[in-house]
Amino acid sequence: MNIKKINKSIQLQKDTLLQHSLYEKVKTIEDLHCFLESHVYAVWDFMSLLKALQSKLTCTTTPWFPSKNPETRYLINEIVLAEETDLTLDGRRQSHYEMYLEAMEACGANTTEISAFLVEVNSLHNIFVAIKKSNLHPNIKAFIDFTFRVIDEGKTHEIAAAFTFGREDLIPSMFTEILKNFQANFPEKDLSKLIYYFERHIALDADEHGPMAMKMITELCGTDIQKWNEVQAISALALEKRIGLWDAIEEQITIKMEIA
């Protein structure tokens, strides 16, 4: 088993995502808001996958001891650096989640629901209870729940699989499709921060983070067939949850269209 075989085994799910009818449904600024207000949960929980990997692959406690593999240590720290403290359009340092929130606010999308959800998560000190209590679409709940189940129960290579094949590897292609729709459908709107966010992700993930994440998987699995099989299983599940998220957003857009 290797990266090439993993990609071949999940090609059907990847094609389903890349050809999803959701992209064609984002036609108005209201549709865009609906998309952003649901997708932001994926932007947020991605950071937890990232930090879980950093915690497992580097030493984040004291006293400090060198972690086992300097190569994976380097790879994850490089990705964390950009994802947690990247440069904004106007030259400030922010995480990609914070950049996304600012982009939402700039185009008029509602950020109060995600902010309230995070307050609840912080208050309850239990992400699973917070997810269950929330009023989110069942598919969005399932998406976030899967992320934190993998973090809570998964092995390092399984977390890396959800991170790499469920997120990093797909982001450039998915965001390119979305970006095309934004530019075509909203020429009169100032979407500069949003477009910058998408373009930044496309550049980082296609040229740097994607290849780094693939190398990290290879380093973690080595010649262990069981690990490769577990990576394959988690990757497929992660993509199914992403398809469910896309289905939920499309459903919400369709409902709003029918009400209007």
Side-chain angles (χ1 to χ4, degrees), residues 81-101:
L81 180 65
E83 294 287 348
E84 199 168 31
T85 55
D86 203 4
L87 279 174
T88 63
L89 185 59
D90 56 0
R92 291 172 293 125
R93 291 286 176 186
Q94 278 190 335
S95 68
H96 282 192
Y97 169 71
E98 291 165 310
M99 287 168 60
Y100 198 87
L101 279 187

Side-chain angles (χ1 to χ4, degrees), residues 220-231:
L220 289 171
C221 292
T223 58
D224 191 319
I225 299 300
Q226 182 178 341
K227 285 184 178 180
W228 280 110
N229 288 336
E230 289 168 347
V231 163

Side-chain angles (χ1 to χ4, degrees), residues 55 59 86 90 93 132 160 169 186 214-215 243 260:
S55 177
C59 182
D86 203 4
D90 56 0
R93 291 286 176 186
K132 189 174 181 179
D169 186 40
F186 314 118
M214 293 297 179
K215 189 172 182 180
I243 292 168

Side-chain angles (χ1 to χ4, degrees), residues 109-249:
N110 183 2
T111 61
T112 57
E113 289 187 8
I114 178 67
S115 298
F117 176 73
L118 295 196
V119 168
E120 185 78 350
V121 170
N122 192 44
S123 173
L124 291 171
H125 302 292
N126 188 315
I127 182 62
F128 301 108
V129 174
I131 294 168
K132 189 174 181 179
K133 286 183 62 179
S134 74
N135 294 320
L136 294 170
H137 188 287
N139 287 16
I140 300 176
K141 287 186 177 185
F143 182 89
I144 306 171
D145 186 82
F146 171 78
T147 296
F148 285 95
R149 295 289 173 191
V150 171
I151 290 170
D152 195 45
E153 302 167 5
K155 303 161 190 173
T156 306
H157 59 278
E158 291 178 324
I159 299 172
F163 177 87
T164 301
F165 294 102
R167 305 297 184 97
E168 289 291 274
D169 186 40
L170 277 168
I171 283 172
S173 298
M174 287 196 303
F175 280 11
T176 299
E177 290 299 315
I178 296 168
L179 187 54
K180 287 177 185 176
N181 283 333
F182 290 166
Q183 291 175 324
N185 293 324
F186 314 118
E188 78 286 355
K189 293 290 182 180
D190 180 12
L191 301 174
S192 57
K193 287 185 177 181
L194 194 59
I195 290 171
Y196 174 81
Y197 171 87
F198 286 153
E199 289 181 337
R200 186 68 181 141
H201 252 296
I202 291 167
L204 279 175
D205 293 337
D207 298 336
E208 298 176 34
H209 293 180
M212 281 182 176
M214 293 297 179
K215 189 172 182 180
M216 180 169 58
I217 290 283
T218 302
E219 289 281 339
L220 289 171
C221 292
T223 58
D224 191 319
I225 299 300
Q226 182 178 341
K227 285 184 178 180
W228 280 110
N229 288 336
E230 289 168 347
V231 163
Q232 181 179 1
I234 288 292
S235 300
L237 273 173
L239 293 178
E240 290 295 338
K241 297 302 179 184
R242 171 70 78 160
I243 292 168
L245 174 65
W246 258 214
D247 290 343
I249 299 173

